Amino acid sequence: MYKSLTCVAVISTPKCHGWHFEHHVTRCHIDAGEELQDKVVVISSKFQKMGFCSRFNIYSKITVGHTLSVSQYIAKGLIKMIWNKEAECLGRSEMKALQLERLKEIVKRAYENVGLYRRKFDDIGLKPEHIQTLKDIEKIPFTTKDDLRDNYPYGLFAVPMKSIVRVHASSGTTGKPIVVGYTQKDVENWSECVARLIVAAGGTDDDIAQVVFGYGLFTGGFGLHYGLEKVGITVVPASSGNSERQIMLMEDFGSTILVGTPSYALYLSEVAEEMGITKGRHKLRLGLFGGEGHTPEMRMEIEKRWGILATENYGLSEIVGPGVSGECSRQCGMHINEDHFYPEIIESTTGNTLGYGEKGELVLTTLTKEGIPMLRYRTKDITILNPEPCSCGRSNVRMNKVLGRTDDMLIIRGVNVFPSQIESVLVGMEHIGPHYQIIVSKKGFMDDIEVQVELIDGKMLEKYSELEKLESGIRHKLRTVLQIDAKVKLVNPKSIERSVGKAKRVIDLRNKNV
Amino acid sequence: MLVKQISVFLENKSGRLAEVTKILGENGINISALSIADTTDFGILRLIVNNPEKAEQVLMENGFAVSATSVIAIGVEDKPGGLSTALEILARESIGIEYVYAFVGRDGKDAYVILRVENPDKAIDVLTKNNIKVLSSSAVYEF
């Protein structure tokens, strides 16, 4: 295809601040059809040999003869940056050695400083020194949300309060929240983990990020905030709510990254549309979404509406908040920060450990947490682990998009139904909006499931049969996916409640009138 | 001769129709004719009003799915067989009818019928040629 290639890249970032670096590569012979990938790795290693930019990992096509800044290259997906190459691209055996070393250390610390762990270990005669291999982790009993609740507020802290610099809490669905504490070091590690996923998604210090996660006890706002600052990104801490103002700020401040829950990002796109703020008037190019799961269909809808790359990240307060894992711009699984969090997959019902590639509940052990170490915490999130190195250059284990939660599974007439299955059917369908609500009730002894969707398109009103066809079409698709019959109810546009945080999709009325 | 009709989606929830009529009333919009088709799940309300553009706009602003279409309004003699004469003419010309609804004018002599047909321009043409009274839009809006 190309007989010779001239590459000119002008590099100017704080990592090699003040350098304007031009690099010419000539006569790279590339056979027809061959990707430029390999040749560009040569460029990358030359960069590295010259002693800087070790964080750049250029793997893709660079336009012949074009001169762009690194951030433009990154924005175009031509250069991928890696925040901490040493940690994120560590070889598998080195990673395992590091994990084992840290595991032994944290088990010892947890046993010595936290009553709950000591009791759990003593009950089964387990001692910290029995943990000699990574596989030995399976001897350790699980920790659950109930353990956190029962030890409210500070019962699981492993350091004196004097050393705790921050607490966060997660809203429990019942009663008291669960509380977690961070030491100074924990906050630093947290920011580091979040910085990695921001850079992996494509964020650079040229970006302006609007954080629409709620700030406060919820970990989302502060978690992303610290990571963004660490990368050198301009942070607009807008917090959630006041949607029209969000769009105004987005336009006026020139925000390029949107950080929040996917459901709120979707809602904001509707508000922007109503206000006539379309692509061009806003500068968004990237979304960092988390705090709740969303289906690939929902992601596509968000990407289409905003005209951005939407990446997902994962975390939970009990472990750290956001920063456990995040997608790179290739969107092929979330890279787990394995040097800080050790992942396992178990079979939910038996607790047996499953292998890579097997679907089950994610269990996480914090490897460096000082404030509140978590040993084998059951996340209730269902996913799959993939140990294959990613084409982005990172070698850490990736987790699949969360496929559901063991506790948001609905059992309808004996059949397991996940809201995510319903979402995958609805989002992106013509004539209906992307918002939905699932209402489960009991009719006599029978479970009844109704899915409410908004009819947004008046065009369907001319022919009665068209509307009925739409309804029965949705019903049929749901039946195919769920294996049960769900009632479909078309409702007025914008009548389903919009959420500024995590969306509440399911209303289960079955236990109400009993 | 084409009359603008507003169609409104009504979800099956009590008070929806009242809400629509209230919004129209508050905005000074008068309803000349209406029809509702419904199933157990939802209904479609069809309206002829004196200011269809405004009606469409205010209903949309209030969160309804709305569309506007062109229909024709004819006047037929209020006696047995009055409507069939007009419908036979359309059938002869193979003009299909989507739906029909009737309303009464102020003078009470003629019966008025709203017709939604596949090809309204052709329908107007053949009806007029056959001496069926096709009402002008302004006449209908003022009923």
Side-chain angles (χ1 to χ4, degrees), chain A residues 184 258 375 514:
Chain A
Q184 193 66 57
L258 182 63
L375 303 183
V514 188

Side-chain angles (χ1 to χ4, degrees), chain A residues 208-495:
Chain A
I208 300 172
Q210 186 164 338
V211 181
V212 303
F213 271 131
Y215 278 69
L217 286 173
F218 172 53
T219 48
F222 280 104
L224 262 301
H225 184 107
Y226 273 59
L228 290 159
E229 278 190 354
K230 200 174 175 75
V231 177
I233 291 170
T234 311
V235 186
V236 182
S239 198
S240 62
N242 210 340
S243 306
E244 292 193 358
R245 197 178 139 84
Q246 296 279 8
I247 303 301
M248 182 195 82
L249 295 179
M250 187 182 289
E251 186 186 13
D252 295 348
F253 291 9
S255 307
T256 55
I257 301 182
L258 182 63
V259 181
T261 59
S263 54
Y264 191 41
L266 188 62
Y267 174 45
L268 280 178
S269 74
E270 290 181 339
V271 177
E273 198 180 300
E274 273 169 26
M275 292 169 68
I277 310 294
T278 47
K279 190 88 187 159
R281 284 190 64 183
H282 72 73
K283 294 200 175 67
L284 280 195
R285 63 171 192 88
L286 177 65
L288 296 168
F289 302 125
E292 62 182 8
H294 61 306
T295 56
E297 290 79 8
M298 173 87 127
R299 181 221 293 274
M300 277 165 64
E301 184 72 21
I302 295 172
E303 291 191 324
K304 193 178 79 193
R305 281 164 170 263
W306 280 115
I308 61 172
L309 176 82
T311 63
E312 184 177 7
N313 58 75
Y314 171 84
L316 58 168
S317 313
E318 297 91 311
I319 297 301
V320 70
V324 172
S325 64
E327 277 181 327
C328 64
S329 51
R330 305 217 137 183
Q331 300 174 314
C332 52
M334 294 181 277
H335 294 271
I336 300 177
N337 286 309
E338 275 187 287
D339 50 335
H340 293 283
F341 313 104
Y342 182 78
E344 296 171 86
I345 293 288
I346 63 160
E347 193 177 34
S348 229
T349 44
T350 61
N352 293 339
T353 309
L354 300 174
Y356 288 135
E358 289 185 280
K359 186 162 118 182
E361 181 182 341
L362 178 69
V363 169
L364 290 167
T365 298
T366 63
L367 295 175
T368 50
K369 266 285 203 67
E370 293 178 344
I372 179 164
M374 279 289 135
L375 303 183
R376 303 196 85 201
Y377 183 77
R378 291 186 67 153
T379 65
K380 295 191 174 177
D381 288 320
I382 298 159
T383 187
I384 298 167
L385 295 181
N386 173 10
E388 293 299 312
C390 181
S391 54
C392 72
R394 289 172 184 80
S395 54
N396 44 19
V397 164
R398 279 171 283 162
M399 59 182 269
N400 206 310
K401 174 177 269 309
V402 171
L403 302 163
R405 281 180 58 80
T406 55
D407 60 356
D408 75 9
M409 185 179 79
L410 294 162
I411 301 178
I412 312 284
R413 283 168 241 149
V415 178
N416 298 348
V417 172
F418 288 97
S420 57
Q421 294 175 297
I422 295 174
E423 181 177 305
S424 71
V425 170
L426 299 177
V427 176
M429 268 188 98
E430 266 190 290
H431 312 299
I432 60 171
H435 299 273
Y436 63 94
Q437 194 142 50
I438 300 160
I439 294 164
V440 188
S441 58
K442 253 201 176 358
K443 290 241 166 90
F445 292 104
M446 282 284 277
D447 295 328
D448 190 68
I449 180 167
E450 178 179 283
V451 179
Q452 296 190 345
V453 287
E454 294 174 354
L455 176 80
I456 50 165
D457 192 352
K459 281 197 237 62
M460 304 291 287
L461 296 176
E462 245 352 271
K463 281 196 177 172
Y464 205 77
S465 57
E466 292 285 311
L467 267 189
E468 287 194 318
K469 220 190 281 169
L470 176 69
E471 234 188 31
S472 64
I474 300 171
R475 201 176 178 132
H476 176 76
K477 278 195 177 167
L478 284 173
R479 208 194 145 73
T480 314
V481 172
L482 305 178
Q483 310 295 330
I484 55 161
D485 206 24
K487 205 175 140 198
V488 174
K489 185 176 180 188
L490 297 174
V491 298
N492 278 7
K494 306 209 169 112
S495 62

Side-chain angles (χ1 to χ4, degrees), chain A residues 458 461-464 471 492, chain B residues 11 38-39 46 69 98-99:
Chain A
L461 296 176
E462 245 352 271
K463 281 196 177 172
Y464 205 77
E471 234 188 31
N492 278 7
Chain B
E11 59 178 88
D38 68 340
T39 67
R46 307 198 193 278
T69 33
E98 299 280 357
Y99 50 83

